[in-house]
Amino acid sequence: MMQGLTSFEQVAIWCVLGIAILGLLYALFLRRQIMGEDKGSLKMIDVWNAIREGADTYLKRQLKTILPLIAVLTVALFFSVFIVPPTEEALKRFAGQPTDSIRLIVGIGRALAFIMGAGFSLIVGQLGMRMAVQANVRVAAAARRSFGDSLRIAYRAGTITGMLTDGLGLFGGTIIFMIFGIAAPDALLGFGFGGTLLALFMRVGGGIYTKAADVGADLVGKVEAGIPEDDPRNPAVIADLVGDNVGDCAGMAADIFESYEVTIVSGLILALALYHITGRMEWILYPLLVRGIGVLSSIIGTYAVKGGPGKVGNAMKAIFRGFLTSAFISVVMFGILGYFYMKDVPGGWWRPFAATTAGVLLAILIDRITEHFTGTEGAPIKEIRKATNTGPATTILSGLAVGYESTVWSILVIAGTIFSSILIFGTMPDVTVTQKVIYILYGVAMTGIGMLTLTGNNVAMDSYGPISDNANGIGEMAWHDLNDQETNDARKIMSDLDAVGNTTKAITKGVAIGSAVIAAVSLFGSFITDVSKIDPVALANGIRVSEPIVFIGLLIGGALPWLFSSFAIQAVSRAAALIVEEVRRQFRGGVLEGKTKPDYRQAVAISTTAAQKELISLALLGVVTPIVVGMVFKVEALGGFLAGIILSGQLLAVFMSNAGGAWDNTKKTIEDEPRDPEKNTGKGSERHKAGVVGDTVGDPLKDTAGPALNPMIKVVNLVSLIIAPVIVQYKNLGVVGWIIVAALVGSLVWSIWQSKKPAPDFKV
């Protein structure tokens, strides 16, 4: 256990494990704080109970759907190690054991790590979502007291999810390293894949659920009936509020958790390559120590988020202050760690320090770019708002332009960050060209680890969004018949918090997409490194786009995100149509006039069924496609496939996320205006209707297809990394191989057919 480490390094690893546990204990401490807050009136509690029951029901159904696939993949991951020779690191770690025993140990380790990664991702999503549901009613109740109390409860409830992400991610990675030592990447691949696959399930399922309900509710409620967003007469309103939690809380928490794991997997694989070059263990330990620093800085940064005792405040400023506080503490501690621990590594301590610091700067830059294009005070939102004067068509065109432009700046920032790694590690003295490439890729991985150092803050910012959105909805539904000054002040507080929540959700989506690309590039480097270790000839000439077979892989990889997004948006459209018909049916039955009470269960059932229908089929696109490409076109074409999906997926994900976020906040700014028919302003105006149409188009882009591309890109990269040794080992498929290919292609055909089936029309 931890052989080959100095006494200091062994103590440091135990300290990292202790910090992971501290993060989990801090989450428990915050939970007790939140649970002690007032839940408000009986009406508020009634609405809250409906949201809680809907969210619990959805997550239980989701778990039943995905468990069979988890079981199948656990067996597959065991055999992915067992049928190939052990790695050099595994032979060294378990020296003295027979080869077959080593294969068995590592195979079981990868399978168990897969289960642990999936379980931790599930815990982060489910517990984080449940705490968000517990917090929303308390935030609404606090709005009647002060802006500061509401902000504090909303942000700290989100921090619980952030600490679960940090704590469980760091705990799992550290335990695996302590057991497997330098062979840890063999097991960590399973850990990362488990977290990534669950994130894909939660992102896809939650995204379809939330946007089917949201689109259906808005089209009939706001556009056709002209009633407010969270009017209790709208039968789809509870499904909409439930969807915010299963989509943004559960989905995003699992999404960032798997990015957190994937970067450590790729970082350790590349660190092992440097260990073999230099003989220095510091390359391997540094990423884990950086992660420990991140947990501590996130805890401290939480307390910088304060809103003051009055009825007004600037939530975005307070949240960003906490983010910058954590970033500053992290960078200072990176410098101290690098100076004292990395001083003897080749090239100097400043190189790994500079790479991790570049990652922190990347997170801040993406934060600022996203806020510029989606924030209510930015010029792009003002431009779209101006376009609403001339109707839905110009509103949509203006939002498309904003989304396209934001993609360019985001990818230039990511390109600049990767270039910074070239500047930092490309000047290493006395190294070969091949070794220099490994150093540069290690720097890219450290950039990703530095970027996700602030995971606790990022997840807190994201969870804050649906918490404040739900709180606003609870207030609207419970206070719709009140018009006193205290209630009006509380409504204003909740509206302000909700608008900022839209921006923080867009920011964290941007960070998640950026981290996905950095993680994917790191995994791409790990893919090349691992293949070269098994067969030095396989990629001796690199991945040549000039080769037609590689270009085929590039084209297929570039196309996959578009097919995936198409199926996700179609699923939202079909389910939303059913909800529209259901809401219209109930309105015709007298719900608007108060003759009958709305039946919320039907919309919840429609959204739940639509989301479950797509889970397995969309997951198969990400899992099976790279295996087929690798088996049929071989490993170099698989490399081209990965390059295609990274570029195409990033561009498409940022476009959809930012365009949707811009439309959403444009609608919010119009709703915050005073109603004036002559000036065409405020709720119910023609401008408002155009804004609602833009928001309705953007919803499935920003909350379903766009965010789901993050885990899909990483699923593809991890599957490729896992399958690469098998592809290199078994170059000639034979009869059995072609039977497997045929079965896999058949599963892809089934998934496409399944995704095109209409959603069932049923009654509860």
Side-chain angles (χ1 to χ4, degrees):
M1 184 172 170
M2 296 196 296
Q3 75 278 15
L5 302 185
T6 66
S7 298
F8 168 79
E9 288 170 338
Q10 292 191 31
V11 170
I13 287 298
W14 281 105
C15 287
V16 170
L17 187 65
I19 290 171
I21 295 170
L22 175 64
L24 296 174
L25 291 175
Y26 183 57
L28 181 62
F29 167 74
L30 289 178
R31 180 186 182 278
R32 289 181 176 173
Q33 275 192 348
I34 300 301
M35 296 300 284
E37 297 286 346
D38 176 43
K39 289 191 285 189
S41 66
L42 288 176
K43 278 188 176 181
M44 294 168 66
I45 293 172
D46 285 343
V47 177
W48 168 70
N49 272 325
I51 297 169
R52 182 174 55 82
E53 289 169 6
D56 287 348
T57 300
Y58 170 77
L59 288 178
K60 288 175 184 175
R61 287 277 301 274
Q62 184 184 59
L63 187 59
K64 290 179 182 177
T65 303
I66 63 181
L67 280 178
L69 184 60
I70 296 295
V72 171
L73 288 174
T74 300
V75 176
L77 281 165
F78 169 78
F79 282 106
S80 71
V81 174
F82 192 72
I83 64 175
V84 296
T87 61
E88 180 184 343
E89 293 78 22
L91 291 171
K92 184 175 181 180
R93 167 64 182 88
F94 301 104
Q97 298 279 347
T99 300
D100 286 346
S101 297
I102 294 174
R103 288 159 61 180
L104 183 65
I105 291 168
V106 178
I108 292 172
R110 179 176 287 183
L112 292 177
F114 170 74
I115 294 171
M116 183 166 68
F120 282 2
S121 186
L122 192 67
I123 289 170
V124 166
Q126 293 226 2
L127 291 187
M129 189 218 71
R130 284 181 164 84
M131 273 315 303
V133 173
Q134 290 289 343
N136 54 29
V137 69
R138 291 167 167 86
V139 172
R144 301 183 74 89
R145 300 194 301 272
S146 72
F147 179 89
D149 278 351
S150 291
L151 175 61
R152 173 181 57 82
I153 296 170
Y155 189 78
R156 291 193 181 177
T159 303
I160 295 172
T161 311
M163 287 297 106
L164 287 172
T165 305
D166 261 345
L168 288 174
L170 189 59
F171 181 83
T174 306
I175 286 291
I176 290 172
F177 178 78
M178 292 172 78
I179 295 171
F180 284 86
I182 60 171
D186 287 335
L188 279 170
L189 278 173
F191 187 57
F193 184 50
T196 301
L197 190 67
L198 260 291
L200 181 61
F201 282 132
M202 292 185 135
R203 263 302 187 196
V204 170
I208 293 170
Y209 184 110
T210 182
K211 291 305 111 179
D214 195 3
V215 170
D218 282 356
L219 284 176
V220 185
K222 287 185 179 180
V223 177
E224 294 182 7
I227 60 176
E229 180 169 353
D230 295 309
D231 193 299
R233 295 171 293 175
N234 191 328
V237 70
I238 292 296
D240 184 10
L241 293 172
V242 170
D244 291 330
N245 294 288
V246 300
D248 279 313
C249 288
M252 176 59 87
D255 186 355
I256 293 186
F257 174 83
E258 49 95 10
S259 286
Y260 194 83
E261 290 320 307
V262 165
T263 51
I264 204 74
V265 169
S266 58
L268 288 182
I269 289 173
L270 292 163
L272 272 174
L274 293 184
Y275 167 73
H276 289 305
I277 293 170
T278 65
R280 307 294 309 194
M281 283 293 292
E282 289 93 332
W283 300 113
I284 299 173
L285 271 292
Y286 182 72
L288 289 172
L289 298 178
V290 165
R291 282 284 157 84
I293 288 171
V295 175
L296 290 176
S297 63
S298 290
I299 291 173
I300 297 169
T302 302
Y303 288 92
V305 181
K306 298 177 181 177
K311 296 289 185 180
V312 294
N314 189 328
M316 192 68 244
K317 183 178 179 182
I319 290 171
F320 192 57
R321 181 169 60 242
F323 187 80
L324 287 180
T325 300
S326 295
F328 176 77
I329 294 169
S330 294
V331 170
V332 171
M333 294 181 75
F334 291 166
I336 295 171
L337 173 66
Y339 182 77
F340 287 102
Y341 180 60
M342 303 291 285
K343 59 184 178 182
D344 294 327
V345 300
W349 66 272
W350 66 271
R351 296 181 195 271
F353 162 70
T356 45
T357 301
V360 176
L361 293 176
L362 172 61
I364 294 172
L365 283 173
I366 289 179
D367 179 307
R368 296 297 86 197
I369 288 172
T370 308
E371 186 181 2
H372 170 73
F373 284 103
T374 63
T376 54
E377 300 302 319
I381 297 297
K382 293 176 181 176
E383 187 66 27
I384 300 174
R385 184 175 166 183
K386 183 179 178 182
T388 60
N389 277 316
T390 47
T394 51
T395 302
I396 291 172
L397 288 172
S398 184
L400 290 174
V402 166
Y404 289 139
E405 184 186 349
S406 68
T407 298
V408 174
W409 300 116
S410 294
I411 207 164
L412 285 177
V413 168
I414 292 171
T417 306
I418 296 172
F419 183 63
S420 72
S421 181
I422 296 173
L423 294 178
I424 294 166
F425 284 98
T427 55
M428 289 288 295
D430 304 321
V431 295
T432 66
V433 174
T434 302
Q435 290 173 345
K436 186 176 292 186
V437 171
I438 295 172
Y439 274 109
I440 291 170
L441 289 171
Y442 178 81
V444 174
M446 290 309 98
T447 299
I449 284 173
M451 182 181 187
L452 290 169
T453 296
L454 307 176
T455 288
N457 303 77
N458 288 327
V459 176
M461 287 168 65
D462 182 76
S463 295
Y464 160 87
I467 289 169
S468 58
D469 190 322
N470 268 210
N472 195 24
I474 290 171
E476 287 288 337
M477 294 183 72
W479 307 333
H480 69 278
D481 54 350
L482 300 177
N483 197 30
D484 56 280
Q485 186 60 46
E486 183 183 54
T487 303
N488 290 334
D489 288 343
R491 284 195 179 104
K492 180 66 169 63
I493 288 172
M494 294 315 310
S495 178
D496 290 346
L497 293 178
D498 188 11
V500 170
N502 284 330
T503 303
T504 61
K505 286 189 291 184
I507 287 170
T508 47
K509 285 184 181 77
V511 171
I513 294 166
S515 70
V517 175
I518 294 294
V521 172
S522 304
L523 286 172
F524 190 53
S526 304
F527 171 82
I528 296 171
T529 302
D530 270 9
V531 169
S532 300
K533 283 163 61 178
I534 299 163
D535 184 354
V537 179
L539 296 178
N541 297 316
I543 297 172
R544 298 159 296 172
V545 181
S546 59
E547 286 288 326
I549 201 76
V550 176
F551 203 79
I552 290 171
L554 185 72
L555 293 174
I556 297 172
L560 187 60
W562 298 81
L563 182 65
F564 182 91
S565 300
S566 169
F567 289 165
I569 293 171
Q570 282 177 6
V572 172
S573 178
R574 286 193 296 262
L578 291 178
I579 289 178
V580 165
E581 293 301 325
E582 174 59 24
V583 175
R584 285 173 177 169
R585 182 187 68 80
Q586 293 197 36
F587 281 178
R588 288 194 299 269
V591 168
L592 282 178
E593 295 79 17
K595 295 176 183 177
T596 60
K597 290 185 177 180
D599 177 10
Y600 300 124
R601 295 175 303 146
Q602 179 72 0
V604 170
I606 291 171
S607 292
T608 300
T609 302
Q612 300 309 308
K613 171 182 170 293
E614 305 293 337
L615 287 181
I616 301 300
S617 57
L618 283 173
L620 285 176
L621 283 178
V623 173
V624 174
T625 308
I627 300 176
V628 172
V629 170
M631 292 182 72
V632 175
F633 301 115
K634 305 309 174 190
V635 71
E636 192 177 348
L638 182 57
F641 174 84
L642 295 180
I645 198 170
I646 291 170
L647 177 60
S648 174
Q650 194 276 344
L651 290 169
L652 187 57
V654 174
F655 159 70
M656 291 193 290
S657 178
N658 286 351
W663 277 317
D664 193 348
N665 267 348
T666 298
K667 177 203 67 177
K668 289 284 183 188
T669 61
I670 296 171
E671 289 177 342
D672 288 341
E673 297 172 332
R675 176 72 191 278
D676 188 338
E678 292 185 4
K679 294 182 179 179
N680 192 22
T681 60
K683 292 182 180 179
S685 64
E686 291 303 313
R687 289 179 62 219
H688 181 231
K689 290 179 181 179
V692 171
V693 171
D695 178 41
T696 304
V697 172
D699 271 340
L701 302 185
K702 72 179 176 65
D703 290 325
T704 305
L709 283 175
N710 306 335
M712 194 273 280
I713 292 169
K714 285 171 281 190
V715 162
V716 167
N717 276 269
L718 278 169
V719 169
S720 301
L721 194 53
I722 290 168
I723 201 68
V726 180
I727 293 171
V728 174
Q729 185 74 20
Y730 300 96
K731 294 179 180 178
N732 298 317
L733 292 180
V735 175
V736 175
W738 283 109
I739 290 173
I740 293 172
V741 169
L744 292 173
V745 171
S747 70
L748 285 175
V749 172
W750 174 86
S751 69
I752 293 170
W753 171 76
Q754 183 73 7
S755 289
K756 288 184 174 295
K757 283 174 62 179
D761 193 1
F762 63 93
K763 303 298 178 189
V764 174

